[in-house]
Structures are given as structure tokens and as C-alpha cells.
Amino acid sequence: MKHAGFIAAVVIAAAGVTGTAVLAKGSHATFQELDADGNGEITQAEMEAHRTARFAKADTDGDGKLSLEEATAKGQERAAKRAEKMFERHDANKDGFLDAEELPKPRRAGKFFDRMDKDGSGGISEAEFAEARERMKEHRKKRGHQDQD
């Protein structure tokens, strides 16, 4: 039961750290939200207007700049919503806690482990770990993400 609080804290902390990325990358808005004029097409101007509105909402003091506190607050808001949805989906007995059995299972953890375990030994050596980490860095670099070491 203590895990639920820990998981929520981790989710909130991670989102707080990446709060600016939340605003910079765009949103998971619906088509209807982005198609402001309802003509069945999303224009660049509509996308920019949506982005500007998101920024303005996060810029709580209205100074045209995001402070670390504002970005953190926005990230925490999103993390809280995600944690709430996670609890709604996974708290099978509706006791307000997630126990180990209720925690979501990683969808591809087995496949990921198998790809890292190159020699099929059933364990991941330090060299295999380093190689997988390097492959992940390269993958992230190709996709335009900054190195996060």
C-alpha cells in the first residue's frame, strides 16, 4: 500500500522536472480542439493559437515568460491528472491504493529484457547494459531528443 504514494510521488516529480517539455512538445489535443473554426481542417495558425493558449494558461503571472515554478506547477498538474487516471483504471478494489497486484504491468518488459540479454544467459551483463544504453542514446538522438545523462 505504501507503493501507491511512492508511485504518485515519482510521477509528480518526473512531470515537474519535465514541465517545460510538456509545453514545448505540444499537446495531445483532440482534432476538434485544434480545429477552432470547425471547418474540418487544422491550419498552422490554429495549431499555433492552441500552443499560445497553453502557454498563456501556464504563465500564471502573465509576464510572457515561464518561471521554473510555473513550469513545475503545470507539470505537477498533468502528473496529478495522469496519476488519477491510473488509479481509476487499476485500483480494482477501489480502496484508494494500488497494491503490487494492481500495478500496471509493463507491456513490453519481457521483449526489452530479451533484446538487452544478447547472449541469452538469462541475465544482463554490464557490457550488455552499456550497449543497450548506447543504442537508446542513438535512438533518442535520431528522434531529436537531447541526451539526458
Side-chain angles (χ1 to χ4, degrees):
M1 301 233 181
K2 292 181 183 178
H3 296 296
F6 175 73
I7 291 168
V10 168
V11 169
I12 289 169
V17 170
T18 61
T20 54
V22 164
L23 295 168
K25 288 185 176 182
S27 71
H28 295 283
T30 66
F31 184 89
Q32 289 74 22
E33 290 170 331
L34 292 171
D35 182 19
D37 62 10
N39 72 349
E41 242 180 28
I42 300 170
T43 65
Q44 186 69 36
E46 287 171 320
M47 290 180 74
E48 184 59 32
H50 182 73
R51 182 181 168 277
T52 300
R54 285 173 41 95
F55 181 89
K57 186 176 178 187
D59 180 20
T60 56
D61 64 8
D63 68 354
K65 299 179 261 181
L66 285 185
S67 67
L68 177 60
E69 291 79 17
E70 289 168 324
T72 300
K74 186 64 176 170
Q76 289 174 338
E77 179 186 310
R78 287 195 63 186
K81 287 178 183 177
R82 285 184 177 160
E84 187 177 319
K85 287 180 182 178
M86 182 177 76
F87 271 73
E88 288 172 5
R89 280 193 309 272
H90 299 289
D91 184 13
N93 61 6
K94 304 297 181 206
D95 66 353
F97 297 93
L98 294 179
D99 60 40
E101 294 302 314
E102 291 172 316
L103 289 176
K105 307 293 187 262
R107 289 182 284 172
R108 300 181 309 180
K111 289 180 183 179
F112 183 69
F113 186 91
D114 292 344
R115 276 185 282 170
M116 289 178 71
D117 181 18
K118 292 289 189 183
D119 64 6
S121 67
I124 299 169
S125 69
E126 188 172 351
E128 288 170 326
F129 183 85
E131 181 184 336
R133 189 171 192 187
E134 199 55 41
R135 281 193 320 265
M136 183 59 77
K137 280 184 188 179
E138 288 302 314
H139 176 74
R140 290 184 56 76
K141 190 182 288 185
K142 286 179 185 175
R143 296 187 72 205
H145 297 284
Q146 291 179 323
D147 192 15
Q148 304 212 349
D149 273 346

